[in-house]
Amino acid sequence: MAHLKQQFKDALSSIEPSDDKTNAPEAHRLVRDALEADAKLTEYGVSPVLIGSYKRNVSIKRIKDVDVFVRLPDMPSDVTSKDILDKFFAVLHAEFGTDSDGHRRTKRQDRSLQVSFPEYDLYVDAVPARPHWDGETWEIPQKGDENEWVRTNPEGLTSLSSEMNAAHDGYYVPTVKLLRQTRRAQLGKKKPGGFFFELATYQAFASGAVSGSDQAEYYVSALTKVSKILENFVTYGIGVNDPTLAGATIHIRASDEELEAARTRFADAAISADDALAQEDEGKAALAFQKLLGKNGDDKTVFPMPPGFNEDGSKRASAILAGARVVPAGTRTFG
Amino acid sequence: MTRSPARIDLSDDAHETIASKSAEQLPLETGGVLLGYREGRNIVVTHALTIDGQAGTNRYVRDDVRANELLEEFLAGRADDDPTGYVGEWHSHPTPSGPSPTDVAAMRAIARSIADPVALLVYAPGRTNPFIGLITQRHRLGRITSTRAEVSFPSSRFTPLGPLPDGAVRGDGPVFISYRQSDGTPHAESIEGLLRAAGLVVWRDNSDLRAGTTIDRLEQALTKGLSAGVLVVTPEIVYSEIVRERELPRLLELDNDSAFSLCIANAIPRAGDGSKCDYGGPDRLLRLSPARTLADKKQSNMLAPTGEVEIVRDLLMHRVEQRRPKIREEGRPFTIRVQTRPTPFALEADEDDLHIRIRSSDNGRLPSGEGLENLKTTLPLTGDAVYASGAKTARISGGAHLSVALAIGAALPETKIGNVEVLDARDQIWTSVTPEDDPMITQVHSRRLTLAGPRTPKVQDRAAIFISLTPAPDETAFERLLHDSTEPFATAAVISITGSDRIDSRESGRLSAAIARLIKQLAATNGRAEVHLAFHGPYPMAILIGRYLNTLRTVVYEWENSHTSDSLYSPALILEPGTAGGPITDVLVRGGQGES
């Protein structure tokens, strides 16, 4: 059994966002400040909060999008989704203007406004939200042109994530990151996106089918279960649950070809991961995990080879002798 | 058969730690311990820890207690089956020399207490291969040997740069600012603001880097026509691979062309005197030491208030030197494009000699306070630059807030620059010289206003003047100015035009001189009063009138149209062109974030 504990740790640190960790909150702050400075939005009780993978600590290098959920508890009900998106556009465009190509930095999207931050190479999505009648969840625009709203509870997901992580001895969050990285390596920019895989992973954990005693076991177990969820979704149309809204499933925009490709790639990935875990030869196992996890945002291989193995997975003849656990006593003078 | 020597394999991570820590500490030594494992005869170094110790220029003492604390911390985060542990020592030599007898003795002492071979890495910058390796080992019967070891490390992830293409240096191209984001951003921003206010176009990553791979886009920016570069050197630049591997080599190549100007903005304090900069710092932190590549170039001290201004003056004069021969040969005007409203960016580099831009305002109609502060610093330099170009005429185009237009006019006084022309949006030229075909339709008229309120001796000092060059002026905002002023005015007057609805550009020379005369008369009748000037009229006229304000102290107002209240005139600038540091001596618009 190849558990490659240190290599999984190294893989996780290799996909950990670096500079983005400081840039993302700064970009978020600039958007929040702009929205909070507007008199009309203040009247609506504007109260932006960071959501999304960044907030839930499951984002991987490089972070490109930061989501801001803009709660408007006092917005009158006659304000349509188009009105509020227009208002957001006016406020954000006035604040952020155009980039050097003369393109507007603020872009309309179906349910949010996207503001680009070229200096950080990232985007902030500001999503307006009005209270749902239950007083506990929220509604966000469904489409910009009509007054359609869809129910959501992103903050609920933030707390569910932390609970799940605690319940699994801290293995849930790193497993989501590894699954997201696997998605990126296997599907690239094709859909379904990271959010689908995050919720599929949540569902897999919630079903009780994911377990393990180390990161390798958790990863392989989650990948196997997620590939089944994906299979059921693609083949039988069984939806992936939104754990924050009872009975609701999540909606994704992926073409049939994309879904079929994702199904095949993940089915293969699950088999390959399972074989790697059972593999006695650490080099062969590492090579398989290396293929599953691909390269990070800095174009570096995510999963390293263990000591004593060549990059092609073959074992070098020499024996490995561990370094000492202590530095020999005594100060030493060099000149 | 001779056995090949044992090898010390260094990971990228360990290599970076040793190289950057050594560069940071030069001319002192520094060092620490090597972590990794042994593989056959070779030692694989996966990590290097830096251990603070006593360090001099030829001595480094490594403390074992601190080393063990750091090793324990490191091992706490590792998996239980990971073989990484202590495998040796490293330290730097400021001079390009290998292990000394002291080093060998220290390693022999270590080898006595440990059964396995231990590595010593000496990092000596300036050598072709800066790493020198030694493996020390205790044998049977206590015999200890130290043998040289090969040192290998992964090659840089940056591919070598290709040759510089033709056209990489362009006299009118933008100025590239190279800096480390983490601690260089405030300097870069400040220099950018000043350069733009001085009329130079700037390339900055935050506004000019296009979508795509950063390294490719940077390379394009560095090779498609720059006039100059500013290398901002801050302590953390030692960690910037992009500056060290891409920007610096290109800037040095560009600097070989005499048409290019490289400025070094040095923000590395000298040991023992934090106000002076360490001129060896840039070479050291960018790993050029012991070569004096940057030390032998002019450096500006960013720790002194004059450092930034020095860079702006150097680059402005460089621009003029590049342009002067052509200006003389063609006998053409010196051209300045001005914009004070939209956000500036690098695409503006064009045929104009200068392109004055100030930060866009956070505050609706008023210009940005920060932008005006920049202009206050740079306008004297701009005036000198126009003068130095030898041009007989300065031609201004674009558009600006009226307070800025008056200030630019004041920076180009009739006593210094023979003629000023202003090109308006319809390409009409407004000039300070009265042409022969002046239609003489428009006349200037002045009317004193009666002021209410008590007169105190101090009120002799202040005269409020409203210049309104459109028919039937709306005087409400000006009346509010008079009424709301905390100090009373000795006199107030409206200068307006009669005879036409609109000034013909050919009348601008005569009218601007006549208006200036009236302003001076009004000031003189009240004991050379401070003039409080509210201007409403064409922007070219503001520039032309500004040229005549040289003997006055003028508080210039900007019209502010607020959503919540009536329009009003807010004080924006104080102009005193005759004094040192003028024409702007004070900025009255509040600056920075959240201007109000």
Side-chain angles (χ1 to χ4, degrees), chain B residues 238-256:
Chain B
V238 72
Y239 304 113
S240 176
E241 270 188 303
I242 296 276
V243 172
R244 188 178 64 240
E245 305 288 336
R246 298 282 113 166
E247 297 181 4
L248 173 69
R250 278 300 191 215
L251 289 174
L252 288 172
E253 279 178 321
L254 290 164
D255 197 39
N256 288 332

Side-chain angles (χ1 to χ4, degrees), chain A residues 76-92:
Chain A
S77 55
D78 62 349
V79 177
T80 66
S81 59
K82 181 181 181 308
D83 294 342
I84 192 66
L85 287 167
D86 285 350
K87 176 69 192 166
F88 267 44
F89 178 79
V91 172
L92 295 171

